[in-house]
């Protein structure tokens, strides 16, 4: 798709490998991967104005090519409910960046809708020298980091394969409803896996992609963070 190629070309021209979250999310949108509504603010005034447009509660995040793991340095502020919250969070984020990464180049502060907290899953893709792009799925948090409860498929991933990926993880009961929990929207997850597969299949210059996390609900799913690394 043209908009995707444009972004990837621009990133290359700037000699960057990592896309900024807004760039990664724009690419996702082109492939019908639902992401949190966002705008990039360059000033405190813009951050407040955009928060009103995006709709409270909002999340603020640092946008910097030098900061990959944003929350590690205090670059993510969640659940901001008023313009006063936004002003405080904006200043706090910039102070945190100054303290932890004084030389980081700051492009702005990302204002985005706060997705209601829910079960988190991860959809990813990595390119293997031999097999080309493959797509990964797993439950978020300790399920991925500690239990390594993830599945892979070589792309392109067909719809039925995506459905099989979801049921294959050990943590599947977490998605399928347990105790009094209602089942979550695994159709929406399967769609997102297929769309991610389509994206990395069409754009071979993508080396890694991470939707981490994706919030899953009884109805729908939404990526709240997106990372893309180029070859
Ligand atoms: P990092 O670069 O550290 O991975 P994230 O953007 O993933 O930063 O934010 C850290 C955590 O904050 C996420 O794992 C998620 O739990 C939460 N979070 C981030 N953005 C949102 C959002 N828009 N709505 C709700 N929760 C969010
Ligand atoms: Mg993340």
């Amino acid at each position: 798709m043209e908009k995707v190629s444009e972004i990837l070309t621009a990133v290359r021209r700037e000699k960057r490998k990592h896309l900024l979250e807004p760039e990664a999310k724009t690419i996702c949108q082109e492939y019908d991967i639902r992401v949190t509504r966002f705008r990039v603010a360059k000033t405190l005034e813009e951050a407040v104005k955009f928060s009103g447009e995006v709709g409270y509660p909002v999340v603020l995040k640092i946008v910097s090519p030098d900061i990959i793991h944003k929350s590690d340095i205090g670059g993510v502020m969640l659940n901001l409910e008023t313009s006063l919250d936004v002003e405080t969070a904006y200043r706090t984020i910039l102070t945190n960046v100054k303290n932890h990464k004084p030389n980081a180049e700051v492009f702005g502060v990302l204002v985005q809708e706060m997705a209601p907290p829910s079960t988190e899953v991860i959809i990813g893709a990595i390119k293997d020298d031999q097999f080309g792009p493959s797509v990964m799925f797993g439950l978020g948090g300790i399920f991925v980091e500690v239990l390594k409860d993830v599945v892979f498929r070589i792309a392109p991933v067909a719809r039925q394969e995506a459905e099989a990926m979801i049921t294959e993880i050990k943590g599947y009961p977490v998605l399928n409803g347990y105790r009094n929990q209602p089942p979550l929207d695994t159709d929406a997850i399967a769609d997102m896996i297929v769309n991610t597969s389509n994206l990395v299949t069409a754009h071979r210059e993508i080396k890694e992609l991470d939707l981490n996390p994706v919030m899953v609900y009884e109805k729908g799913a939404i990526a709240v963070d997106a990372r893309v690394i180029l070859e």
Side-chain angles (χ1 to χ4, degrees):
M1 261 179 241
E2 221 170 299
K3 198 166 180 182
V4 177
S5 301
E6 265 172 38
I7 289 175
L8 297 182
T9 307
V11 170
R12 280 213 181 291
R13 205 182 305 124
E14 291 178 26
K15 302 236 179 333
R16 285 190 281 130
K17 288 261 162 83
H18 288 265
L19 272 65
L20 302 165
E21 182 177 332
E23 292 167 339
K25 281 185 167 170
T26 301
I27 285 179
C28 287
Q29 286 174 320
E30 290 297 300
Y31 278 81
D32 294 325
I33 295 165
R34 198 174 150 222
V35 301
T36 42
R37 273 193 310 282
F38 66 88
R39 290 201 65 176
V40 178
K42 299 277 190 190
T43 63
L44 177 62
E45 292 68 34
E46 274 187 352
V48 171
K49 179 164 164 262
F50 294 165
S51 295
E53 290 172 18
V54 161
Y56 287 97
V58 296
V59 173
L60 296 193
K61 298 185 195 179
I62 192 66
V63 181
S64 164
D66 304 311
I67 299 169
I68 310 298
H69 301 286
K70 302 173 293 281
S71 46
D72 287 359
I73 58 115
V76 177
M77 296 278 149
L78 301 173
N79 208 20
L80 310 170
E81 296 188 314
T82 64
S83 55
L84 195 62
D85 287 350
V86 169
E87 286 179 22
T88 309
Y90 186 96
R91 293 199 178 97
T92 305
I93 287 177
L94 293 186
T95 305
N96 290 344
V97 170
K98 254 200 203 97
N99 290 337
H100 294 96
K101 277 244 167 193
N103 297 322
E105 187 184 356
V106 173
F107 284 22
V109 170
L110 186 63
V111 178
Q112 66 184 253
E113 84 183 271
M114 169 83 192
S118 186
T119 301
E120 298 186 358
V121 301
I122 297 176
I123 297 172
I126 53 166
K127 201 174 152 189
D128 183 88
D129 287 340
Q130 250 187 315
F131 300 110
S134 63
V135 178
M136 182 272 261
F137 169 73
L139 288 170
I142 61 156
F143 288 97
V144 167
E145 282 153 28
V146 183
L147 304 174
K148 316 278 183 223
D149 183 18
V150 295
V151 284
F152 286 90
R153 282 289 192 293
I154 295 170
V157 178
R159 172 68 197 214
Q160 274 194 330
E161 281 185 275
E163 288 166 13
M165 288 172 79
I166 297 167
T167 54
E168 269 170 34
I169 57 165
K170 291 192 201 75
Y172 175 61
V174 172
L175 300 172
N176 195 34
Y178 63 103
R179 304 233 178 132
N180 296 322
Q181 302 291 319
L184 301 176
D185 195 342
T186 48
D187 277 339
I189 303 175
D191 286 341
M192 213 180 267
I193 291 173
V194 170
N195 292 337
T196 299
S197 163
N198 290 341
L199 166 56
V200 296
T201 304
H203 298 278
R204 295 302 178 114
E205 60 270 62
I206 294 175
K207 189 173 153 217
E208 276 182 53
L209 178 150
D210 259 303
L211 306 176
N212 182 9
V214 174
M215 299 283 183
V216 189
Y217 305 101
E218 283 176 63
K219 202 125 196 44
I222 188 165
V224 306
D225 186 21
R227 228 191 299 282
V228 171
I229 305 174
L230 302 182
E231 293 221 282

